[in-house]
Amino acid sequence: MKATIIFLLLAQVSWAGPFQQRGLFDFMLEDEASGIGPEEHPPVDSELEPLGPVCPFRCQCHLRVVQCSDLELGTNPLKSSGIENGAFQGMKKLSYIRIADTNITTIPQGLPPSLTELHLEGNKISKVDAASLKGLNNLAKLGLSFNSISAIDNGTLANTPHLRELHLDNNKLIRVPGGLAEHKYIQVVYLHNNNISAVGSNDFCPPGYNTKKASYSGVSLFSNPVQYWEIQPSTFRCVYVRSAIQLGNYK
């Protein structure tokens, strides 16, 4: 009798199907109180609307910044004539604009005063005049690297009274932009890889020392034809620490 029972049990095991490993998610579904098995999912309503704002397809959304491939205004055959005056004016809360690696030759006109960052690197801008930055009272960072800028008009920086960072490296400047000494908040100035051959003692700091002016935390002048040993030590009297100054290495 015992032999018969053992034979029947072995026969049931041999008739059973092969073992199939199931994923963790399947077991989690079976543990749900609803009792729905892994093959009994309720139908999904494809017409359900999202509960909140959805990031556009192939874009990256970070708080108030939406960055989209096809790339953003950058890396397009865009010309200055293709940007109408005031094209961004209706965006009253816009804080960041990047138009890089295009064919624009001037800074777009009529930018919204809400801007805090403006990035125009890698274009064909040759000159920056005062009118191009007029009204940008909240601008804190201006990126103009890798252009063909040879001059910054007097009074230009006065139109950006809250500017903290100015990037003008890899251009064709022959002198330090005017207005840095009088600017109250600017702390970082990139001027490397230009054609600057001389630096005056009052180019960066006001005469004497004005405690109302923020101290510089970064000034780069390397890869310019200026003979750094001829620069007066008092030129950088309003720099926070000596290590914040980068000179020499002219090619």
Side-chain angles (χ1 to χ4, degrees):
M1 183 66 179
K2 290 183 178 180
T4 303
I5 294 174
I6 293 173
F7 175 79
L8 292 174
L9 291 174
L10 291 174
Q12 291 179 358
V13 171
S14 63
W15 294 334
F19 174 75
Q20 295 181 353
Q21 177 66 49
R22 286 155 52 184
L24 177 61
F25 187 67
D26 293 335
F27 290 109
M28 292 172 62
L29 286 175
E30 290 183 349
D31 289 340
E32 293 290 338
S34 62
I36 299 175
E39 299 178 0
E40 299 175 356
H41 301 298
V44 178
D45 188 357
S46 60
E47 297 180 359
L48 288 177
E49 295 183 357
L51 298 178
V54 177
C55 191
F57 179 65
R58 294 187 68 183
C59 296
Q60 296 180 353
C61 301
H62 308 280
L63 296 178
R64 294 179 295 173
V65 177
V66 179
Q67 183 175 357
C68 302
S69 60
D70 301 325
L71 275 58
E72 205 179 36
L73 290 176
T75 319
N76 279 292
L78 187 65
K79 297 182 179 180
S80 294
S81 58
I83 304 177
E84 294 184 3
N85 189 358
F88 303 98
Q89 199 64 48
M91 304 177 184
K92 297 182 179 180
K93 295 184 178 180
L94 189 64
S95 62
Y96 180 102
I97 289 180
R98 183 174 183 268
I99 308 175
D101 302 313
T102 70
N103 294 320
I104 63 172
T105 57
T106 59
I107 295 176
Q109 299 292 304
L111 296 173
S114 56
L115 278 185
T116 58
E117 291 193 30
L118 177 60
H119 296 267
L120 300 172
E121 299 91 350
N123 293 298
K124 297 180 180 179
I125 300 172
S126 59
K127 184 179 180 180
V128 180
D129 54 33
S132 61
L133 298 178
K134 188 175 182 180
L136 299 182
N137 295 329
N138 295 305
L139 196 66
K141 187 173 183 178
L142 176 59
L144 291 167
S145 306
F146 292 94
N147 278 279
S148 300
I149 300 171
S150 59
I152 306 289
D153 280 0
N154 291 334
T156 298
L157 296 181
N159 286 333
T160 56
H162 290 93
L163 194 67
R164 261 72 171 178
E165 290 191 30
L166 177 61
H167 295 204
L168 282 166
D169 55 282
N170 293 279
N171 277 283
K172 297 180 179 179
L173 293 171
I174 60 174
R175 62 176 60 90
V176 176
L180 289 175
E182 293 78 27
H183 204 284
K184 186 176 180 180
Y185 294 108
I186 198 161
Q187 296 173 291
V188 176
V189 182
Y190 289 174
L191 296 172
H192 53 273
N193 285 317
N194 276 281
N195 297 320
I196 299 172
S197 58
V199 177
S201 60
N202 294 326
D203 280 350
F204 291 95
C205 306
Y209 181 73
N210 185 353
T211 56
K212 293 182 179 180
K213 178 176 175 57
S215 299
Y216 289 98
S217 58
V219 175
S220 67
L221 279 164
F222 64 90
S223 292
N224 278 285
V226 59
Q227 298 179 345
Y228 63 89
W229 55 86
E230 294 184 356
I231 299 176
Q232 298 297 319
S234 61
T235 299
F236 303 113
R237 57 189 171 273
C238 57
V239 176
Y240 183 66
V241 291
R242 179 176 293 183
S243 59
I245 307 169
Q246 296 182 354
L247 292 169
N249 301 322
Y250 178 66
K251 297 179 181 179

